[in-house]
Amino acid sequence: TPVATKAGRFTGEVRDAVDGVLAAWSGVLTEVVQRGRAAGADFAAFEPAEIVALVMSAFLGAESLILLGVDRDHLPIRRALRRVGDALTALETQP
């Protein structure tokens, strides 16, 4: 039920667990952005924390939409996420 879902999202124990996972993920993404910059990637005017916030928000939003059952032909979320993964793998394997 919506009330149960809302309660589950905001209980202290759940919130703290999610916050811990997101903090760890943020650290990993920040390192990736810093490595990208060191390798010459140009992120224009974006600060690393802003890039991390956008990436995390996109993935969390995509996950929410998938859980809602919105992942269909007109909004191919899973396929798009797989392509992001493929692009990242290609970047990692470049000399």
Side-chain angles (χ1 to χ4, degrees):
T1 66
V3 173
T5 302
K6 184 177 179 181
R9 286 187 180 169
F10 296 106
T11 62
E13 185 178 331
V14 172
R15 183 191 60 243
D16 292 346
V18 170
D19 186 50
V21 170
L22 293 179
W25 191 25
S26 176
V28 169
L29 291 174
T30 299
E31 183 178 330
V32 169
V33 171
Q34 290 169 341
R35 285 183 183 183
R37 280 206 166 143
D42 181 13
F43 298 118
F46 288 99
E47 295 294 324
E50 295 167 340
I51 295 169
V52 169
L54 291 172
V55 169
M56 290 178 68
S57 296
F59 275 85
L60 290 171
E63 183 176 326
S64 294
L65 291 171
I66 289 169
L67 291 173
L68 288 169
V70 178
D71 185 31
R72 298 192 175 88
D73 291 336
H74 65 278
L75 194 60
I77 298 166
R78 292 174 198 260
R79 186 174 68 220
L81 292 175
R82 283 189 202 102
R83 289 184 194 268
V84 169
D86 292 345
L88 291 173
T89 299
L91 286 172
E92 288 178 344
T93 59
Q94 287 182 352

Short mmCIF file of all heavy atoms in Angstrom, two decimals, residues 32-86:
data_model
loop_
_atom_site.label_atom_id
_atom_site.label_comp_id
_atom_site.label_asym_id
_atom_site.label_seq_id
_atom_site.Cartn_x
_atom_site.Cartn_y
_atom_site.Cartn_z
N VAL A 32 35.47 8.06 -10.00
CA VAL A 32 35.40 7.89 -11.45
C VAL A 32 35.48 9.24 -12.15
O VAL A 32 36.21 9.41 -13.14
CB VAL A 32 34.09 7.15 -11.85
CG1 VAL A 32 33.85 7.21 -13.35
CG2 VAL A 32 34.14 5.71 -11.36
N VAL A 33 34.76 10.24 -11.64
CA VAL A 33 34.79 11.58 -12.23
C VAL A 33 36.20 12.16 -12.13
O VAL A 33 36.72 12.74 -13.09
CB VAL A 33 33.76 12.51 -11.55
CG1 VAL A 33 33.95 13.95 -12.00
CG2 VAL A 33 32.34 12.04 -11.85
N GLN A 34 36.83 11.99 -10.99
CA GLN A 34 38.19 12.52 -10.81
C GLN A 34 39.17 11.84 -11.75
O GLN A 34 40.05 12.49 -12.33
CB GLN A 34 38.62 12.38 -9.35
CG GLN A 34 37.85 13.31 -8.44
CD GLN A 34 38.06 13.01 -6.96
OE1 GLN A 34 38.49 11.93 -6.58
NE2 GLN A 34 37.73 13.99 -6.12
N ARG A 35 39.03 10.54 -11.92
CA ARG A 35 39.90 9.82 -12.88
C ARG A 35 39.64 10.31 -14.30
O ARG A 35 40.57 10.45 -15.09
CB ARG A 35 39.66 8.32 -12.80
CG ARG A 35 40.25 7.67 -11.59
CD ARG A 35 40.02 6.18 -11.66
NE ARG A 35 40.52 5.52 -10.48
CZ ARG A 35 40.50 4.21 -10.31
NH1 ARG A 35 40.00 3.43 -11.26
NH2 ARG A 35 40.97 3.67 -9.20
N GLY A 36 38.38 10.54 -14.61
CA GLY A 36 38.05 11.05 -15.94
C GLY A 36 38.69 12.39 -16.19
O GLY A 36 39.26 12.64 -17.26
N ARG A 37 38.61 13.26 -15.21
CA ARG A 37 39.24 14.59 -15.36
C ARG A 37 40.75 14.45 -15.51
O ARG A 37 41.36 15.13 -16.33
CB ARG A 37 38.91 15.47 -14.16
CG ARG A 37 37.55 16.08 -14.28
CD ARG A 37 37.50 17.37 -13.50
NE ARG A 37 36.30 18.09 -13.90
CZ ARG A 37 35.56 18.78 -13.10
NH1 ARG A 37 35.88 18.89 -11.83
NH2 ARG A 37 34.49 19.41 -13.54
N ALA A 38 41.35 13.57 -14.73
CA ALA A 38 42.80 13.37 -14.81
C ALA A 38 43.20 12.83 -16.18
O ALA A 38 44.29 13.11 -16.67
CB ALA A 38 43.26 12.42 -13.71
N ALA A 39 42.29 12.07 -16.80
CA ALA A 39 42.55 11.50 -18.12
C ALA A 39 42.22 12.47 -19.24
O ALA A 39 42.36 12.16 -20.41
CB ALA A 39 41.77 10.21 -18.29
N GLY A 40 41.73 13.67 -18.88
CA GLY A 40 41.47 14.68 -19.88
C GLY A 40 40.02 14.89 -20.24
O GLY A 40 39.72 15.66 -21.16
N ALA A 41 39.11 14.24 -19.53
CA ALA A 41 37.68 14.43 -19.83
C ALA A 41 37.28 15.85 -19.45
O ALA A 41 37.70 16.37 -18.42
CB ALA A 41 36.83 13.43 -19.06
N ASP A 42 36.49 16.47 -20.30
CA ASP A 42 36.03 17.83 -20.06
C ASP A 42 34.56 17.78 -19.65
O ASP A 42 33.70 17.43 -20.44
CB ASP A 42 36.19 18.66 -21.33
CG ASP A 42 35.75 20.10 -21.14
OD1 ASP A 42 35.54 20.53 -19.99
OD2 ASP A 42 35.61 20.80 -22.15
N PHE A 43 34.30 18.10 -18.42
CA PHE A 43 32.93 18.11 -17.91
C PHE A 43 32.38 19.52 -17.85
O PHE A 43 31.47 19.81 -17.08
CB PHE A 43 32.87 17.47 -16.52
CG PHE A 43 33.30 16.03 -16.52
CD1 PHE A 43 34.40 15.61 -15.80
CD2 PHE A 43 32.59 15.09 -17.25
CE1 PHE A 43 34.78 14.28 -15.79
CE2 PHE A 43 32.96 13.75 -17.25
CZ PHE A 43 34.07 13.35 -16.52
N ALA A 44 32.93 20.39 -18.64
CA ALA A 44 32.48 21.79 -18.74
C ALA A 44 32.46 22.44 -17.37
O ALA A 44 33.44 22.38 -16.65
CB ALA A 44 31.14 21.86 -19.45
N ALA A 45 31.36 23.04 -17.01
CA ALA A 45 31.29 23.80 -15.76
C ALA A 45 30.81 22.95 -14.58
O ALA A 45 30.59 23.48 -13.50
CB ALA A 45 30.34 24.98 -15.94
N PHE A 46 30.64 21.65 -14.78
CA PHE A 46 30.14 20.80 -13.70
C PHE A 46 31.22 20.49 -12.68
O PHE A 46 32.34 20.14 -13.02
CB PHE A 46 29.62 19.47 -14.26
CG PHE A 46 28.33 19.60 -15.00
CD1 PHE A 46 28.33 19.65 -16.39
CD2 PHE A 46 27.13 19.65 -14.33
CE1 PHE A 46 27.15 19.75 -17.09
CE2 PHE A 46 25.93 19.75 -15.02
CZ PHE A 46 25.94 19.80 -16.40
N GLU A 47 30.83 20.61 -11.42
CA GLU A 47 31.68 20.16 -10.32
C GLU A 47 31.49 18.65 -10.18
O GLU A 47 30.41 18.13 -10.51
CB GLU A 47 31.28 20.85 -9.02
CG GLU A 47 31.53 22.35 -9.03
CD GLU A 47 33.02 22.68 -9.10
OE1 GLU A 47 33.82 21.95 -8.50
OE2 GLU A 47 33.36 23.66 -9.78
N PRO A 48 32.49 17.92 -9.67
CA PRO A 48 32.33 16.47 -9.49
C PRO A 48 31.07 16.10 -8.71
O PRO A 48 30.35 15.18 -9.09
CB PRO A 48 33.60 16.05 -8.76
CG PRO A 48 34.62 17.04 -9.22
CD PRO A 48 33.86 18.35 -9.34
N ALA A 49 30.77 16.82 -7.63
CA ALA A 49 29.59 16.50 -6.83
C ALA A 49 28.30 16.67 -7.62
O ALA A 49 27.33 15.93 -7.41
CB ALA A 49 29.56 17.37 -5.57
N GLU A 50 28.28 17.61 -8.55
CA GLU A 50 27.08 17.81 -9.38
C GLU A 50 26.90 16.66 -10.37
O GLU A 50 25.77 16.21 -10.59
CB GLU A 50 27.18 19.14 -10.12
CG GLU A 50 27.16 20.34 -9.20
CD GLU A 50 27.57 21.63 -9.88
OE1 GLU A 50 28.21 21.60 -10.95
OE2 GLU A 50 27.22 22.69 -9.34
N ILE A 51 27.99 16.21 -10.94
CA ILE A 51 27.92 15.07 -11.86
C ILE A 51 27.44 13.84 -11.11
O ILE A 51 26.56 13.11 -11.58
CB ILE A 51 29.29 14.83 -12.53
CG1 ILE A 51 29.65 16.02 -13.42
CG2 ILE A 51 29.28 13.52 -13.32
CD1 ILE A 51 31.08 16.00 -13.90
N VAL A 52 28.00 13.62 -9.93
CA VAL A 52 27.60 12.48 -9.11
C VAL A 52 26.11 12.57 -8.77
O VAL A 52 25.37 11.58 -8.87
CB VAL A 52 28.47 12.39 -7.84
CG1 VAL A 52 27.90 11.38 -6.85
CG2 VAL A 52 29.90 12.05 -8.20
N ALA A 53 25.64 13.75 -8.40
CA ALA A 53 24.23 13.93 -8.05
C ALA A 53 23.32 13.60 -9.23
O ALA A 53 22.29 12.94 -9.08
CB ALA A 53 23.98 15.37 -7.58
N LEU A 54 23.71 14.05 -10.43
CA LEU A 54 22.89 13.77 -11.61
C LEU A 54 22.88 12.29 -11.97
O LEU A 54 21.83 11.72 -12.29
CB LEU A 54 23.39 14.59 -12.80
CG LEU A 54 23.15 16.10 -12.70
CD1 LEU A 54 23.86 16.82 -13.84
CD2 LEU A 54 21.67 16.40 -12.70
N VAL A 55 24.03 11.65 -11.90
CA VAL A 55 24.11 10.22 -12.22
C VAL A 55 23.30 9.40 -11.22
O VAL A 55 22.50 8.55 -11.60
CB VAL A 55 25.58 9.74 -12.26
CG1 VAL A 55 25.67 8.22 -12.32
CG2 VAL A 55 26.32 10.37 -13.43
N MET A 56 23.49 9.69 -9.94
CA MET A 56 22.75 8.94 -8.92
C MET A 56 21.24 9.17 -9.05
O MET A 56 20.45 8.23 -8.95
CB MET A 56 23.23 9.33 -7.52
CG MET A 56 24.63 8.82 -7.23
SD MET A 56 25.24 9.32 -5.60
CE MET A 56 24.16 8.38 -4.53
N SER A 57 20.84 10.39 -9.30
CA SER A 57 19.42 10.70 -9.45
C SER A 57 18.82 9.99 -10.66
O SER A 57 17.69 9.47 -10.59
CB SER A 57 19.21 12.21 -9.58
OG SER A 57 19.62 12.87 -8.41
N ALA A 58 19.56 9.95 -11.75
CA ALA A 58 19.08 9.27 -12.95
C ALA A 58 18.87 7.78 -12.68
O ALA A 58 17.84 7.21 -13.05
CB ALA A 58 20.05 9.48 -14.11
N PHE A 59 19.83 7.15 -12.03
CA PHE A 59 19.70 5.73 -11.76
C PHE A 59 18.62 5.43 -10.74
O PHE A 59 17.85 4.47 -10.89
CB PHE A 59 21.04 5.13 -11.34
CG PHE A 59 21.89 4.75 -12.52
CD1 PHE A 59 22.71 5.68 -13.13
CD2 PHE A 59 21.87 3.46 -13.03
CE1 PHE A 59 23.48 5.35 -14.23
CE2 PHE A 59 22.64 3.12 -14.13
CZ PHE A 59 23.44 4.07 -14.73
N LEU A 60 18.52 6.25 -9.70
CA LEU A 60 17.46 6.04 -8.70
C LEU A 60 16.08 6.28 -9.30
O LEU A 60 15.13 5.55 -9.02
CB LEU A 60 17.69 6.94 -7.48
CG LEU A 60 18.88 6.54 -6.62
CD1 LEU A 60 19.15 7.62 -5.57
CD2 LEU A 60 18.66 5.20 -5.97
N GLY A 61 15.97 7.30 -10.15
CA GLY A 61 14.70 7.55 -10.83
C GLY A 61 14.34 6.42 -11.77
O GLY A 61 13.19 5.98 -11.82
N ALA A 62 15.34 5.90 -12.49
CA ALA A 62 15.09 4.79 -13.39
C ALA A 62 14.64 3.56 -12.61
O ALA A 62 13.69 2.86 -13.00
CB ALA A 62 16.35 4.47 -14.19
N GLU A 63 15.29 3.31 -11.49
CA GLU A 63 14.90 2.16 -10.66
C GLU A 63 13.48 2.33 -10.15
O GLU A 63 12.69 1.37 -10.16
CB GLU A 63 15.87 2.01 -9.49
CG GLU A 63 15.56 0.80 -8.64
CD GLU A 63 16.58 0.59 -7.54
OE1 GLU A 63 17.77 0.88 -7.75
OE2 GLU A 63 16.18 0.13 -6.46
N SER A 64 13.12 3.52 -9.74
CA SER A 64 11.75 3.77 -9.26
C SER A 64 10.74 3.52 -10.37
O SER A 64 9.69 2.91 -10.14
CB SER A 64 11.61 5.21 -8.76
OG SER A 64 12.40 5.40 -7.60
N LEU A 65 11.04 3.98 -11.58
CA LEU A 65 10.13 3.77 -12.70
C LEU A 65 10.00 2.29 -13.06
O LEU A 65 8.91 1.80 -13.35
CB LEU A 65 10.59 4.57 -13.92
CG LEU A 65 10.45 6.09 -13.79
CD1 LEU A 65 11.13 6.79 -14.95
CD2 LEU A 65 8.99 6.49 -13.70
N ILE A 66 11.11 1.57 -12.99
CA ILE A 66 11.06 0.13 -13.25
C ILE A 66 10.18 -0.55 -12.21
O ILE A 66 9.34 -1.40 -12.53
CB ILE A 66 12.48 -0.47 -13.28
CG1 ILE A 66 13.22 -0.01 -14.54
CG2 ILE A 66 12.43 -2.00 -13.20
CD1 ILE A 66 14.71 -0.32 -14.53
N LEU A 67 10.36 -0.19 -10.93
CA LEU A 67 9.55 -0.78 -9.86
C LEU A 67 8.07 -0.44 -10.02
O LEU A 67 7.20 -1.21 -9.60
CB LEU A 67 10.05 -0.33 -8.49
CG LEU A 67 11.42 -0.89 -8.09
CD1 LEU A 67 11.91 -0.24 -6.81
CD2 LEU A 67 11.37 -2.40 -7.96
N LEU A 68 7.77 0.70 -10.62
CA LEU A 68 6.38 1.08 -10.88
C LEU A 68 5.81 0.39 -12.12
O LEU A 68 4.63 0.51 -12.41
CB LEU A 68 6.27 2.60 -11.07
CG LEU A 68 6.45 3.44 -9.81
CD1 LEU A 68 6.58 4.91 -10.17
CD2 LEU A 68 5.27 3.22 -8.86
N GLY A 69 6.67 -0.31 -12.87
CA GLY A 69 6.21 -1.00 -14.06
C GLY A 69 6.14 -0.13 -15.29
O GLY A 69 5.45 -0.46 -16.25
N VAL A 70 6.86 0.98 -15.29
CA VAL A 70 6.81 1.92 -16.40
C VAL A 70 7.77 1.53 -17.52
O VAL A 70 7.70 2.06 -18.61
CB VAL A 70 7.10 3.36 -15.89
CG1 VAL A 70 7.10 4.37 -17.02
CG2 VAL A 70 6.09 3.75 -14.83
N ASP A 71 8.65 0.59 -17.27
CA ASP A 71 9.65 0.17 -18.26
C ASP A 71 8.97 -0.61 -19.39
O ASP A 71 8.77 -1.80 -19.30
CB ASP A 71 10.71 -0.69 -17.58
CG ASP A 71 11.85 -1.04 -18.49
OD1 ASP A 71 12.18 -0.24 -19.39
OD2 ASP A 71 12.44 -2.12 -18.32
N ARG A 72 8.62 0.10 -20.43
CA ARG A 72 7.93 -0.51 -21.58
C ARG A 72 8.59 -0.02 -22.86
O ARG A 72 9.60 0.69 -22.82
CB ARG A 72 6.46 -0.10 -21.54
CG ARG A 72 5.75 -0.61 -20.30
CD ARG A 72 4.24 -0.44 -20.44
NE ARG A 72 3.56 -1.03 -19.32
CZ ARG A 72 3.29 -0.38 -18.18
NH1 ARG A 72 3.65 0.86 -18.01
NH2 ARG A 72 2.65 -0.99 -17.20
N ASP A 73 8.01 -0.38 -23.97
CA ASP A 73 8.58 0.00 -25.27
C ASP A 73 8.71 1.51 -25.43
O ASP A 73 9.67 1.99 -26.01
CB ASP A 73 7.74 -0.57 -26.41
CG ASP A 73 7.86 -2.08 -26.49
OD1 ASP A 73 8.87 -2.62 -26.01
OD2 ASP A 73 6.95 -2.71 -27.05
N HIS A 74 7.74 2.26 -24.93
CA HIS A 74 7.80 3.72 -25.10
C HIS A 74 8.79 4.39 -24.14
O HIS A 74 9.10 5.54 -24.31
CB HIS A 74 6.39 4.33 -24.94
CG HIS A 74 5.81 4.20 -23.58
ND1 HIS A 74 5.19 3.05 -23.16
CD2 HIS A 74 5.79 5.06 -22.54
CE1 HIS A 74 4.77 3.21 -21.91
NE2 HIS A 74 5.13 4.42 -21.51
N LEU A 75 9.27 3.65 -23.15
CA LEU A 75 10.25 4.19 -22.22
C LEU A 75 11.20 3.04 -21.84
O LEU A 75 11.10 2.46 -20.78
CB LEU A 75 9.55 4.75 -20.97
CG LEU A 75 10.37 5.63 -20.05
CD1 LEU A 75 10.88 6.86 -20.80
CD2 LEU A 75 9.53 6.05 -18.87
N PRO A 76 12.14 2.71 -22.74
CA PRO A 76 13.00 1.54 -22.55
C PRO A 76 14.13 1.78 -21.55
O PRO A 76 15.31 1.89 -21.91
CB PRO A 76 13.53 1.28 -23.96
CG PRO A 76 13.56 2.64 -24.58
CD PRO A 76 12.38 3.38 -24.01
N ILE A 77 13.78 1.84 -20.29
CA ILE A 77 14.74 2.20 -19.24
C ILE A 77 15.85 1.16 -19.12
O ILE A 77 17.04 1.51 -19.09
CB ILE A 77 14.01 2.37 -17.90
CG1 ILE A 77 13.00 3.51 -18.00
CG2 ILE A 77 15.00 2.63 -16.77
CD1 ILE A 77 12.01 3.55 -16.87
N ARG A 78 15.49 -0.10 -19.03
CA ARG A 78 16.51 -1.14 -18.85
C ARG A 78 17.50 -1.15 -20.01
O ARG A 78 18.71 -1.26 -19.80
CB ARG A 78 15.86 -2.52 -18.71
CG ARG A 78 15.07 -2.69 -17.44
CD ARG A 78 14.34 -4.03 -17.46
NE ARG A 78 13.28 -4.06 -16.49
CZ ARG A 78 13.36 -4.62 -15.30
NH1 ARG A 78 14.48 -5.19 -14.91
NH2 ARG A 78 12.33 -4.60 -14.48
N ARG A 79 17.01 -1.04 -21.21
CA ARG A 79 17.89 -1.02 -22.39
C ARG A 79 18.82 0.19 -22.33
O ARG A 79 20.01 0.08 -22.61
CB ARG A 79 17.06 -1.02 -23.67
CG ARG A 79 17.93 -1.16 -24.91
CD ARG A 79 17.10 -1.32 -26.18
NE ARG A 79 16.39 -0.07 -26.46
CZ ARG A 79 15.15 -0.01 -26.90
NH1 ARG A 79 14.44 -1.11 -27.10
NH2 ARG A 79 14.58 1.15 -27.15
N ALA A 80 18.28 1.33 -21.94
CA ALA A 80 19.10 2.54 -21.84
C ALA A 80 20.19 2.37 -20.77
O ALA A 80 21.34 2.76 -20.99
CB ALA A 80 18.22 3.74 -21.52
N LEU A 81 19.83 1.78 -19.63
CA LEU A 81 20.83 1.56 -18.58
C LEU A 81 21.91 0.59 -19.04
O LEU A 81 23.09 0.78 -18.73
CB LEU A 81 20.16 1.07 -17.31
CG LEU A 81 19.27 2.07 -16.58
CD1 LEU A 81 18.57 1.41 -15.40
CD2 LEU A 81 20.07 3.29 -16.12
N ARG A 82 21.51 -0.44 -19.77
CA ARG A 82 22.51 -1.38 -20.30
C ARG A 82 23.47 -0.66 -21.25
O ARG A 82 24.68 -0.91 -21.25
CB ARG A 82 21.83 -2.53 -21.03
CG ARG A 82 21.24 -3.55 -20.10
CD ARG A 82 20.75 -4.80 -20.85
NE ARG A 82 19.78 -5.47 -20.02
CZ ARG A 82 18.46 -5.41 -20.20
NH1 ARG A 82 17.95 -4.73 -21.21
NH2 ARG A 82 17.64 -6.04 -19.39
N ARG A 83 22.95 0.26 -22.06
CA ARG A 83 23.82 1.01 -22.99
C ARG A 83 24.80 1.91 -22.23
O ARG A 83 25.95 2.07 -22.65
CB ARG A 83 22.99 1.81 -23.97
CG ARG A 83 22.27 0.95 -24.99
CD ARG A 83 21.54 1.81 -26.01
NE ARG A 83 20.61 1.05 -26.78
CZ ARG A 83 20.90 0.48 -27.94
NH1 ARG A 83 22.11 0.59 -28.46
NH2 ARG A 83 19.97 -0.19 -28.61
N VAL A 84 24.36 2.47 -21.13
CA VAL A 84 25.27 3.26 -20.29
C VAL A 84 26.39 2.36 -19.78
O VAL A 84 27.56 2.72 -19.82
CB VAL A 84 24.52 3.94 -19.12
CG1 VAL A 84 25.49 4.53 -18.12
CG2 VAL A 84 23.57 5.00 -19.64
N GLY A 85 26.02 1.17 -19.32
CA GLY A 85 27.02 0.21 -18.86
C GLY A 85 27.99 -0.17 -19.97
O GLY A 85 29.20 -0.25 -19.74
N ASP A 86 27.47 -0.40 -21.16
CA ASP A 86 28.33 -0.72 -22.30
C ASP A 86 29.29 0.42 -22.62
O ASP A 86 30.47 0.20 -22.90
CB ASP A 86 27.49 -1.04 -23.54
CG ASP A 86 26.69 -2.32 -23.41
OD1 ASP A 86 26.98 -3.13 -22.49
OD2 ASP A 86 25.75 -2.50 -24.22
#
